[in-house]
């Protein structure tokens, strides 16, 4: 306590010209101080720095007492001890305000200032611990004991030392603004203690933590401490470099063309070929004039061109302007004369590319006919909706072929930024036009077919503006003759482009967009249709892709059927095409190796080529026990079957539901159970009923599994299994009425794919069977349900 008071007095004396202690010298004369004992050090408190041995560091001192301390030490040629303050905000520090372990160092450079801050360079030398603070000087003085540098060796130390070295070199390489020599310096350090100190000094950690390192005298512990901090730092650095690289890559790609052009110009200049620039400019001017843009636009472009011609070589703005003018010259401004569409010819092309799809083809031809009769009229935008692999994209290509137009595709899936559609303003570095204009430039035509693929996966608008509103403008016949891309900055006429959109589902297409389009559904194919598609199109396509002649390899119908039933489960034909490709690749191998001249593939060969069947008849397997019913579900990728599994466990009458069911589905399970209890009249107080809908990763919701739940529960309670060839769909009311549901067509096709022969539907859905292909109807029995009991009667064995 007394120590503290005395100290306080000294400091005040030092800073403000003493007053408390009679006989104390004022600061101005403090040079003639009494001698400092040999085992004591002049001290300088540091607000926010820790000095380590072996480190040279700049320091600034401003407080009167500190300045006096430094001056006195310099005068006497003594070392100075540096101690970290506990609180950087304390101005007048005493013993209790300081850490007592510090580093003594030599002042290697001192730049005094008349007033204010004095600058020092200090070389840290040795650790010490203060043992007693002394008074009588206008600065801090304390007796100290020296802490010798630990020099112990051994494997544990050596291992940590190497680790620390490796990590610090990695960190140095990852840091953006560190000179490479530092890595060399670190490499050269051969004392573990010194390396730990040096790294701790460089690390971006709190001063308190640095102080903790300084106070860790045990070498192994000190190394561990530093290693821990460094490891954390390195992983952050790695991550930030990764992020930096990624952003840089994106940026680089945009910039690449820009930079290359710039370099090319510089090289030409160096080679004295800059005469070409004049010629180049001349060419650019000519192509601008020849591009066929509207007069107003041309005027604007020429004005910009003149600006470019006046501009110095190589300025950033010049190259930006040049890229813009080049785009202006390349865009397809001209309206090329369209050959009137020959509808009969178009029909042939559509038939040649796609099997079946009668309704769809008819609708496409109508659309073409209307366009033919009234080319200037505003025709609707077609939107093909259906599961993957049903031919949406390839139909678009056929339409282009049928009408002799260029085809281009714009992928909209996952677009979040309005600028992707409408472009960035030209003043941005690396700005580009939006992808609608880019597609037109690629097509070299403004009356081609532009496919807006995956319009249902368009991202929500966010921070960067809503892409769907930009798309609205593109598709709106009232607006799109004056479409304005941010980059282009002038109107471009999109009214002659034939837009066709595709989507897997309708629901996620933003409402206003959906209203602009005419939706054409492609529901998926039956097994028979798939067989025809494979025979007529897919096999020959894959023969060609694998370099085979039709005579060299054949695939029997039985083999194709087997692929459809056991190796694929899909509404479209994409996997079917892939598996046929695999089969034919196998044939090509055999022929290439000279094992055979022709290869015929039959159903029996498939296991050897494609491996074990992927989709066995699951239904029979699953429904062999009481409590399992086969339901029918609608999913965005077509219909599918799903199993409802119910079982009894000892309990207290609870209903347990698992399998990621949505709220509506849970409620319909409750309703089904209530109904099943009334129906079976069972006492269920001593058991819990567990209902599970497998394939837990797909969330399921909707009321249409009600009938299947009721049947599963009844089957469980009565101990009778459900017939394996029956699948069902329908909502139930608490009073046992069966209510209608949606997606009848998709569900029916899914049942057929799964080998089901009887489909049970709500009576009120009977009319929806009109949409189901006749071939599917012919193969299925339908049971129409009015009451839930009807389902039980027909389904239980
Ligand atoms: N009716 C058909 N006749 C002939 N080939 C077809 C038919 N339907 C689809 N195909 C072929 O199936 C393949 C997949 O079709 P496509 O790529 O057009 O599917 P998609 O509907 O666009 O699917 P996604 O939604 O996954 O984009 C193509 O090779 C296509 O030619
Ligand atoms: Mg597609």
């Amino acid at each position: 306590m007394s120590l503290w008071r005395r100290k306080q007095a000294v400091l005040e004396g030092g800073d403000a010209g003493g007053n408390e202690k009679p006989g104390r010298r004022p600061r101005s004369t403090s040079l003639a101080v009494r001698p400092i004992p040999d085992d004591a050090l002049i001290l300088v408190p540091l607000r926010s720095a820790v000095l380590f041995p072996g480190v040279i560091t700049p320091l600034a001192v401003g407080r009167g007492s500190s300045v006096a301390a430094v001056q006195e030490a310099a005068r006497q040629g003594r070392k100075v001890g540096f101690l970290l303050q506990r609180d950087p905000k304390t101005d007048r520090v005493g013993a209790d305000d300081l850490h007592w372990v510090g580093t003594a160092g030599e002042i290697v450079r001192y730049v005094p200032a008349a007033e204010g801050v004095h600058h020092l360079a200090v070389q840290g030398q040795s650790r010490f611990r203060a043992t007693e603070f002394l008074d009588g000087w206008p600065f801090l003085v304390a007796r100290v004991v020296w802490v010798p540098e630990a020099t112990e060796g051994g494997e544990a130390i050596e291992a940590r030392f190497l680790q620390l070295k490796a990590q610090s070199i990695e960190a140095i390489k990852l840091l953006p603004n560190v000179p490479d020599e530092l890595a060399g310096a670190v490499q050269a350090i051969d004392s573990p203690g010194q390396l730990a100190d040096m790294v701790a000094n460089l690390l971006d950690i709190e001063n308190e933590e640095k102080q903790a390192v300084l106070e860790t005298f045990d070498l192994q512990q000190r190394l561990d401490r530093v290693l821990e901090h460094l490891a954390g730092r390195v992983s952050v650095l790695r991550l930030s470099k990764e992020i930096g690289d990624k952003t840089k890559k994106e940026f680089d790609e945009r910039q690449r063309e820009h930079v290359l052009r710039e370099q090319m110009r510089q090289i030409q200049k160096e080679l004295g070929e800059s005469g070409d620039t004049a010629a180049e400019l001349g060419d650019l001017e000519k192509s601008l004039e020849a591009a066929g843009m509207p007069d107003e636009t041309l005027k604007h472009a020429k004005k910009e061109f003149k600006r470019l011609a006046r501009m110095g070589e190589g300025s950033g703005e010049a190259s930006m302007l040049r890229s813009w003018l080049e785009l202006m010259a390349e865009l397809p401004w001209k309206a090329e004369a369209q050959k009137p569409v020959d509808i009969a010819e178009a029909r042939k092309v559509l038939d040649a590319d796609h099997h079946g799809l009668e309704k769809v083809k008819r609708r496409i031809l109508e659309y073409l006919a209307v366009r033919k009769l009234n080319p200037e009229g505003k025709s609707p935008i077609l939107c093909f909706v259906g599961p993957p692999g049903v031919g949406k994209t390839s139909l678009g290509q056929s339409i282009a072929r049928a009408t002799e137009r260029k085809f281009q595709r714009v992928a909209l899936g996952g677009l979040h930024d309005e600028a992707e559609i409408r472009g960035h303003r030209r003043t941005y570095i690396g700005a580009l036009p939006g992808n609608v204009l880019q597609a037109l430039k690629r097509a070299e035509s403004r009356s081609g077919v532009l496919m807006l693929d995956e319009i249902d996966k368009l991202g929500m608008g966010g921070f960067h503006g809503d892409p769907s509103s930009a798309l609205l403008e593109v598709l709106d016949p009232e607006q799109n003759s004056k479409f304005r891309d941010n980059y282009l900055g002038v109107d471009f006429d999109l009214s002659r482009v034939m837009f066709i959109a595709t989507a897997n589902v309708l629901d996620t297409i933003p409402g206003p967009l959906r209203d602009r389009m005419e939706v054409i559904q492609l529901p998926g194919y039956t097994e028979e249709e798939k067989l025809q598609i494979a025979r007529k199109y897919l096999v020959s396509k894959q023969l060609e892709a694998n370099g085979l002649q039709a005579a060299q390899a054949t695939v029997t119908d039985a083999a194709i059927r087997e692929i459809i039933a056991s190796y694929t489960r899909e509404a479209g034909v994409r996997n079917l095409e892939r598996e046929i490709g695999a089969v034919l690749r196998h044939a090509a191998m055999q022929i290439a190796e000279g094992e055979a001249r022709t290869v015929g593939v039959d159903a029996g060969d498939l296991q050897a080529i494609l491996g074990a069947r992927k989709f066995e008849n699951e239904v029979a397997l699953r429904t062999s026990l009481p409590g399992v019913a086969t339901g029918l579900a609608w999913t965005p990728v077509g219909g599918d079957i799903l199993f409802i599994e119910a079982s009894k466990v000892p309990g207290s009458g609870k209903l347990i539901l698992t399998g990621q069911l949505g709220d509506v589905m849970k409620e319909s399970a409750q309703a089904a159970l209530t109904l099943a209890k009334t129906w079976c009249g069972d006492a269920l107080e001593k058991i819990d009923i567990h209902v599970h809908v497998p394939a837990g990763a797909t969330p399921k919701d909707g009321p249409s599994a009600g009938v299947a739940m009721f049947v599963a529960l009844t089957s469980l309670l009565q101990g009778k299994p459900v017939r394996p060839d029956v699948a069902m769909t329908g909502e139930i009311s608490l009073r046992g009425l069966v209510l209608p549901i949606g997606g009848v067509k998709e569900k029916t096709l899914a049942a057929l794919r799964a080998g089901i022969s009887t489909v049970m539907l709500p009576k009120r859905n009977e009319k929806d069977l009109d949409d189901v292909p006749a071939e599917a109807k012919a193969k299925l029995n339908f049971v129409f349900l009015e009451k839930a009991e009807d389902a039980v009667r027909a389904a239980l064995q």
Side-chain angles (χ1 to χ4, degrees):
M1 198 56 208
S2 65
L3 209 59
W4 159 245
R5 285 209 188 286
R6 272 182 282 147
K7 198 74 263 153
Q8 201 65 345
V10 170
L11 262 180
E12 267 151 13
D15 277 350
N19 42 19
E20 271 175 47
K21 263 208 155 186
R24 273 230 338 91
R25 273 182 259 256
R27 187 173 56 173
S28 51
T29 56
S30 69
L31 289 178
V33 286
R34 45 185 257 242
I36 294 163
D38 282 346
D39 61 347
L41 268 179
I42 298 178
L43 299 177
V44 167
L46 297 175
R47 286 182 201 269
S48 57
V50 176
L51 180 67
F52 282 95
V55 168
I56 300 185
T57 191
L59 289 173
V61 290
R63 280 175 282 193
S65 56
S66 298
V67 173
V70 169
Q71 284 176 344
E72 181 61 22
R75 198 178 65 80
Q76 292 190 26
R78 292 183 70 108
K79 289 183 190 171
V80 178
F82 294 90
L83 292 176
L84 178 66
Q85 284 181 208
R86 290 188 188 280
D87 179 356
K89 290 199 277 298
T90 317
D91 283 331
R92 299 186 165 186
V93 282
D96 292 355
D97 302 318
L98 290 166
H99 290 278
W100 282 32
V101 173
T103 300
E106 208 165 299
I107 295 165
V108 291
R109 205 179 145 82
Y110 175 46
V111 185
E115 49 195 47
V117 179
H118 300 233
H119 292 275
L120 323 173
V122 178
Q123 156 111 55
Q125 286 170 336
S126 27
R127 278 181 168 75
F128 68 85
R129 182 199 287 282
T131 51
E132 182 192 1
F133 279 75
L134 306 176
D135 64 350
W137 290 274
F139 38 76
L140 295 163
V141 173
R143 285 188 202 283
V144 300
V145 290
W146 299 102
V147 180
E149 186 45 73
T151 51
E152 72 256 36
E155 269 172 30
I157 301 284
E158 185 65 13
R160 287 170 173 78
F161 177 46
L162 291 178
Q163 170 80 353
L164 185 59
K165 217 177 229 190
Q167 290 238 354
S168 17
I169 288 172
E170 178 174 2
I172 289 168
K173 296 214 168 109
L174 286 169
L175 281 167
N177 298 318
V178 171
D180 288 344
E181 299 87 75
L182 193 57
V186 167
Q187 192 65 48
I189 294 177
D190 53 10
S191 142
Q194 201 188 342
L195 181 64
D197 287 348
M198 173 161 167
V199 173
N201 173 58
L202 290 173
L203 271 175
D204 177 18
I205 52 177
E206 296 288 322
N207 283 317
E208 285 300 322
E209 311 211 20
K210 290 192 180 184
Q211 179 68 29
V213 172
L214 188 70
E215 289 182 11
T216 309
F217 301 148
D218 181 274
L219 189 50
Q220 182 168 331
Q221 279 174 21
R222 195 191 313 162
L223 284 165
D224 280 343
R225 211 175 195 126
V226 175
L227 263 172
E228 193 177 312
H229 286 305
L230 185 60
R233 196 69 201 132
V234 165
S235 55
V236 170
L237 282 172
R238 268 194 217 126
L239 193 65
S240 89
K241 178 164 186 299
E242 217 168 85
I243 295 168
D245 284 352
K246 225 187 249 167
T247 348
K248 188 158 168 294
K249 190 161 153 248
E250 278 166 22
F251 186 70
D252 282 353
E253 272 161 18
R254 290 199 166 189
Q255 283 283 78
R256 198 167 157 262
E257 187 182 328
H258 178 85
V259 172
L260 284 178
R261 275 184 201 285
E262 208 41 55
Q263 281 177 347
M264 189 170 78
R265 268 174 214 132
Q266 288 302 333
I267 291 169
Q268 284 173 337
K269 215 164 114 191
E270 292 287 313
L271 292 174
E273 288 174 5
S274 47
D276 278 359
T277 319
E280 239 176 68
L281 279 181
D283 285 350
L284 180 56
E285 187 174 17
K286 269 190 225 126
S287 43
L288 281 173
E289 275 163 8
M293 55 189 92
D295 292 345
E296 273 304 301
T297 313
L298 182 61
K299 236 195 218 152
H300 177 67
K302 288 190 100 171
K303 220 167 96 198
E304 294 290 272
F305 176 80
K306 290 215 182 84
R307 216 153 65 77
L308 173 69
R310 279 198 308 271
M311 247 177 227
E313 258 297 297
S315 78
E317 195 186 350
S319 72
M320 223 135 75
L321 193 52
R322 187 191 299 258
S323 313
W324 181 80
L325 284 165
E326 279 164 0
L327 175 73
M328 287 290 279
E330 282 171 38
L331 279 176
W333 297 93
K334 287 191 197 122
E336 52 277 53
Q338 276 296 318
K339 227 177 72 189
V341 184
D342 180 340
I343 302 291
E345 196 54 39
R347 163 104 237 173
K348 275 192 204 142
V349 173
L350 291 183
D351 281 341
D353 291 349
H354 291 91
H355 170 82
L357 297 175
E358 274 315 311
K359 255 192 188 165
V360 176
K361 286 181 190 162
R362 192 162 355 107
R363 182 62 196 95
I364 292 172
L365 291 171
E366 277 166 23
Y367 168 86
L368 293 178
V370 171
R371 265 188 99 108
K372 179 180 177 179
L373 294 179
N374 183 7
E376 303 301 319
K378 305 192 187 326
S379 46
I381 289 138
L382 298 183
C383 178
F384 296 140
V385 178
V390 291
K392 299 181 295 298
T393 306
S394 69
L395 263 177
Q397 284 165 331
S398 291
I399 294 178
R401 206 158 76 84
T403 55
E404 295 178 49
R405 287 163 185 258
K406 301 271 176 44
F407 178 85
Q408 281 296 331
R409 191 177 150 263
V410 173
L412 298 176
L415 275 195
H416 281 286
D417 189 347
E418 185 187 358
E420 305 258 10
I421 288 169
R422 214 203 285 273
H424 283 286
R425 294 179 69 86
R426 212 197 322 163
T427 42
Y428 272 89
I429 293 188
L432 287 174
N435 46 20
V436 171
L437 276 197
Q438 288 190 34
L440 292 187
K441 185 181 124 184
R442 283 197 304 273
E444 298 176 351
S445 157
R446 69 178 171 94
S447 47
V449 172
L450 194 65
M451 175 152 274
L452 303 169
D453 232 353
E454 310 203 319
I455 202 165
D456 55 333
K457 313 229 172 30
L458 200 61
M460 281 294 148
F463 176 61
H464 291 295
D466 187 353
S468 72
S469 72
L471 206 55
L472 265 182
E473 206 182 305
V474 170
L475 296 180
D476 186 350
E478 306 291 334
Q479 296 183 51
N480 69 7
S481 60
K482 287 190 166 37
F483 175 67
R484 191 163 275 224
D485 181 280
N486 288 326
Y487 178 81
L488 205 64
V490 293
D491 293 344
F492 192 90
D493 183 359
L494 299 178
S495 60
R496 284 166 174 263
V497 178
M498 192 189 272
F499 291 104
I500 297 180
T502 79
N504 288 136
V505 279
L506 266 184
D507 319 5
T508 55
I509 306 178
L513 266 183
R514 199 169 34 192
D515 292 347
R516 297 262 143 87
M517 301 187 295
E518 175 166 338
V519 171
I520 299 184
Q521 301 267 8
L522 287 88
Y525 300 113
T526 61
E527 189 186 323
E528 208 49 45
E529 282 173 325
K530 287 184 187 175
L531 175 69
Q532 296 301 334
I533 294 174
R535 278 204 338 207
K536 289 204 217 144
Y537 302 87
L538 307 181
V539 172
S540 46
K541 237 181 4 192
Q542 288 301 320
L543 278 171
E544 196 180 332
N546 290 295
L548 292 168
Q549 304 288 327
Q552 287 178 301
T554 49
V555 186
T556 62
D557 285 2
I560 295 175
R561 276 186 204 282
E562 172 72 5
I563 296 178
I564 295 170
S566 302
Y567 291 91
T568 64
R569 177 181 289 169
E570 58 179 349
V573 293
R574 183 166 292 136
N575 293 329
L576 175 59
E577 182 169 0
R578 189 174 317 142
E579 299 295 335
I580 290 176
V583 166
L584 290 179
R585 257 197 310 287
H586 180 83
M589 274 286 284
Q590 285 185 314
I591 292 171
E593 287 175 355
E595 285 172 25
R597 307 230 351 240
T598 59
V599 178
V601 180
D602 202 354
D605 307 323
L606 290 177
Q607 297 232 8
I609 304 174
L610 299 177
R613 297 160 158 198
K614 292 184 191 149
F615 303 101
E616 293 283 349
N617 188 346
E618 224 182 335
V619 186
L621 221 67
R622 297 252 198 159
T623 50
S624 54
L625 292 176
V628 183
T630 311
L632 290 170
W634 182 90
T635 73
V637 295
D640 205 352
I641 55 167
L642 91 181
F643 297 100
I644 312 278
E645 299 176 349
S647 60
K648 286 193 267 198
V649 284
S652 54
K654 283 196 296 293
L655 174 64
I656 304 162
L657 296 168
T658 53
Q660 288 230 18
L661 312 186
D663 287 344
V664 180
M665 205 158 180
K666 284 184 186 156
E667 281 167 15
S668 86
Q670 280 289 359
L673 181 60
T674 307
L675 202 60
K677 280 186 197 166
T678 4
W679 172 254
C680 304
D682 246 28
L684 301 175
E685 289 85 39
K686 295 241 165 58
I687 55 168
D688 285 346
I689 302 258
H690 185 171
V691 174
H692 179 63
V693 185
T698 17
K700 311 162 198 78
D701 204 3
S704 73
V707 169
M709 295 213 170
F710 173 67
V711 170
L713 289 166
T714 316
S715 150
L716 177 75
L717 297 179
Q718 300 196 343
K720 295 183 196 156
V722 179
R723 278 171 44 198
D725 56 345
V726 178
M728 59 209 80
T729 178
E731 181 179 353
I732 46 170
S733 79
L734 258 189
R735 294 180 34 234
L737 296 180
V738 177
L739 309 176
I741 43 76
V744 169
K745 183 167 45 176
E746 288 83 358
K747 289 175 176 176
T748 313
L749 292 180
L752 200 60
R753 274 203 295 282
I756 298 287
S757 59
T758 301
V759 172
M760 308 204 295
L761 296 172
K763 174 84 176 146
R764 280 159 65 187
N765 281 112
E766 196 171 352
K767 60 178 190 321
D768 296 328
L769 283 188
D770 293 352
D771 291 345
V772 177
E775 175 211 330
K777 275 191 281 196
K779 286 195 177 169
L780 290 168
N781 297 320
F782 292 93
V783 175
F784 297 104
L785 313 170
E786 280 179 88
K787 296 209 189 110
E789 297 106 271
D790 302 346
V792 170
R793 233 173 264 126
L796 295 197
Q797 287 184 356

